[in-house]
Amino acid sequence: MKGIVEGFEEGYCIIEIDGQTTNVPLNQVDSCVKTCDVVDWDGKKWVANRKETEARIKEIKSLMKDVWED
């Protein structure tokens, strides 16, 4: 299972999974996860997927560049 971290609130990590946001208790999220990370469920915790996070950031920057150039 894969998701994107939307943020953190009152002991929860808000993760978007398949277009739906879910409040996940922090004890189920690896401590190095941060907002905007792509995360994977490893069977015990949500862990950051650095490779996919970097690819997502590059794609967003490219899209933003295209918008500002028009």
Side-chain angles (χ1 to χ4, degrees), residues 3-49:
I4 299 172
V5 177
E6 297 287 322
F8 296 88
E9 260 181 41
E10 299 179 15
Y12 290 94
C13 178
I14 303 160
I15 301 177
E16 180 186 323
I17 305 165
D18 296 327
Q20 301 284 340
T21 56
T22 303
N23 292 342
V24 177
L26 287 177
N27 65 351
Q28 294 179 9
V29 179
D30 191 68
S31 61
C32 67
V33 168
K34 55 189 187 300
T35 301
C36 298
D37 278 351
V38 175
V39 290
D40 295 316
W41 178 250
D42 73 359
K44 296 179 183 179
K45 286 190 176 223
W46 288 95
V47 294
N49 183 322

Side-chain angles (χ1 to χ4, degrees), residues 47-63:
V47 294
N49 183 322
R50 294 292 170 221
K51 186 176 180 179
E52 287 195 34
T53 298
E54 287 180 23
R56 182 173 180 269
I57 289 169
K58 278 185 176 181
E59 180 182 351
I60 291 169
K61 284 182 179 181
S62 175
L63 291 170

